Amino acid sequence: MARKIMSLLLVGLLLVGLLAGCGAKEEEPKAEEPAKEEALKIAMVTDVGGVNDKSFNQSAWEGLQKAENELGIKPGYQESKQEADYSSNLELLTDAGNDLVWGIGFLMGSQVEEAAKDYPEQKFAIIDNYYENPSENLLGITFKEQEASFLVGYIAGKMTKTNKVGFIGGMDFSVIHRFDYGFKAGVKHANPEAEILSQYAGAFDKPAIGRSIAESMYAKDADIIFHAAGDTGNGMIEVAKEKGKYAIGVDKDQNPDAPENVITSAVKRVDNAIYNVAKDLKEGNFKGGTNITYGLAEGGVDIAPSSDKLVPKEILDEVAKLKEQIIAGEIKVPASKEEFEAMK
């Protein structure tokens, strides 16, 4: 009897096993989730003016911030306290795994070019430098600063009451020459009899020098001064506020810094250039091995939108016509001393 019961138990266990096997379903392998695309990393090395210079370094950083908000890139920067920092800062950002490293400013042109040669797999770009034969991993960006400077010069020539205006340059090289001679040409176009005082500070990060030069120019009866000197020029704007004089800003709209004194600014859209290159990079269209130039026609330079606060409408209407003539090639704005002298 016991043997019969044991046999029945074994048969039952076998049936349960078979039924369990028939009913079991193999788990289907889970579909792998698509890998998330890693955000592009783009960082910049500032010039000595620093990221908050209220000028082209700050504009460049704003371009990266816009690319972060609209394109999802991861931005970063490394500030240079002195020119000796350029090479090490470029190397630092390269080692950090950035997809693109920017040099902000003409002064680090040779260091960026050297870094592009040393790191052929790394992409580099620079603001304010043109290369004759850039390597495939290097992009140069320049601007027709003379075109915006001509327009603000015209405004200065029309608005001066003393028939004397001033120009303060940061350092004596081609980028600042474009500001300088474009401004002078605009002043003379508006007012052939106007006198133009001009001085170079020798630095972009010395507001005290900008103050000193401005005090001297205002004391000599200049009633409007234009600067192309980065943070150095901010010293001039402070003097304009203290003395109740007029000033013209650069790169960014500087009217907010002195709403009663900065009548206009020669705006250079470094932010747009930085953003456009980030967009190209994300779309796989990085234009290495070339140079890109932005002027009035490309929306790269202009006068500040705040100009209508202190500049009479009739002058702004004239400026609008001049802008059309420049874009059409009817007015060729000088970019150097030689071109300016040839106009006389």
Side-chain angles (χ1 to χ4, degrees):
M1 185 70 179
R3 186 178 299 172
K4 187 174 181 181
I5 292 171
M6 286 294 295
S7 297
L8 289 171
L9 286 172
L10 285 173
V11 170
L13 287 173
L14 285 171
L15 287 172
V16 169
L18 287 171
L19 288 171
C22 292
K25 291 184 180 178
E26 291 186 9
E27 288 190 12
E28 295 181 6
K30 292 182 179 178
E32 290 187 11
E33 293 183 6
K36 289 184 179 179
E37 184 181 348
E38 285 192 23
L40 288 172
K41 292 176 64 179
I42 303 178
M44 66 183 221
V45 175
T46 76
D47 204 344
V48 292
V51 76
N52 294 313
D53 64 349
K54 299 181 181 179
S55 190
F56 69 108
N57 286 294
Q58 185 171 333
S59 182
W61 177 237
E62 288 171 357
L64 281 184
Q65 289 176 308
K66 180 182 177 183
E68 177 185 23
N69 293 332
E70 298 185 12
L71 304 175
I73 70 112
K74 288 185 178 179
Y77 67 84
Q78 193 70 30
E79 288 190 298
S80 302
K81 302 301 181 185
Q82 56 190 354
E83 291 184 28
D85 295 337
Y86 295 158
S87 293
S88 58
N89 283 344
L90 289 165
E91 185 174 354
L92 186 67
L93 293 183
T94 297
D95 290 343
N98 285 287
D99 296 282
L100 174 64
V101 175
W102 279 96
I104 308 301
F106 174 89
L107 291 176
M108 67 182 83
S110 59
Q111 289 90 338
V112 172
E113 185 175 34
E114 191 64 32
K117 291 177 181 176
D118 291 342
Y119 300 97
E121 301 303 314
Q122 171 69 57
K123 294 180 176 66
F124 292 91
I126 187 169
I127 292 293
D128 283 346
N129 202 68
Y130 177 93
Y131 295 105
E132 287 295 332
N133 295 295
S135 54
E136 290 301 312
N137 62 330
L138 177 58
L139 170 64
I141 300 289
T142 56
F143 297 82
K144 295 179 181 177
E145 294 91 350
Q146 68 272 21
E147 294 182 346
S149 299
F150 181 91
L151 299 177
V152 300
Y154 185 87
I155 290 171
K158 284 289 185 178
M159 291 186 64
T160 179
K161 303 299 183 186
T162 62
N163 231 30
K164 192 179 289 187
V165 300
F167 172 78
I168 300 175
M171 296 183 75
D172 192 358
F173 56 77
S174 59
V175 175
I176 306 305
H177 294 169
R178 294 197 287 270
F179 283 110
D180 187 354
Y181 294 104
F183 176 72
K184 288 174 178 173
V187 171
K188 291 297 184 180
H189 191 82
N191 185 351
E193 303 305 316
E195 182 182 349
I196 305 165
L197 305 177
S198 181
Q199 187 172 339
Y200 284 70
F204 290 108
D205 60 342
K206 299 290 188 290
I209 296 177
R211 286 188 62 91
S212 177
I213 296 173
E215 286 170 349
S216 174
M217 288 184 175
Y218 285 132
K220 293 175 182 175
D221 290 331
D223 57 350
I224 303 173
I225 300 176
F226 171 44
H227 86 91
D231 195 28
T232 297
N234 292 326
M236 177 272 286
I237 292 176
E238 288 302 312
V239 175
K241 287 167 65 175
E242 293 165 9
K243 295 183 176 294
K245 301 291 186 179
Y246 279 153
I248 296 175
V250 77
D251 293 335
K252 287 172 56 64
D253 184 348
Q254 294 195 285
N255 176 266
D257 300 331
E260 303 300 320
N261 307 92
V262 176
I263 58 175
T264 187
S265 300
V267 175
K268 185 163 83 171
R269 298 306 304 267
V270 175
D271 56 339
N272 283 351
I274 294 280
Y275 176 83
N276 290 343
V277 172
K279 188 171 184 292
D280 285 344
L281 181 64
K282 184 169 184 178
E283 294 172 353
N285 296 319
F286 179 70
K287 298 179 175 64
T290 65
N291 296 277
I292 300 173
T293 301
Y294 291 88
L296 280 173
E298 296 80 20
V301 300
D302 207 338
I303 64 170
S306 66
S307 301
D308 59 358
K309 293 181 180 179
L310 298 172
V311 180
K313 182 180 184 303
E314 57 269 24
I315 295 178
L316 291 178
D317 288 342
E318 293 168 13
V319 167
K321 291 178 182 176
L322 291 172
K323 190 188 300 187
E324 291 175 2
Q325 290 177 290
I326 293 170
I327 292 173
E330 296 169 13
I331 294 177
K332 180 171 173 53
V333 182
S336 65
K337 181 179 180 179
E338 293 73 23
E339 291 178 3
F340 177 69
E341 295 289 343
M343 294 177 63
K344 296 181 180 178

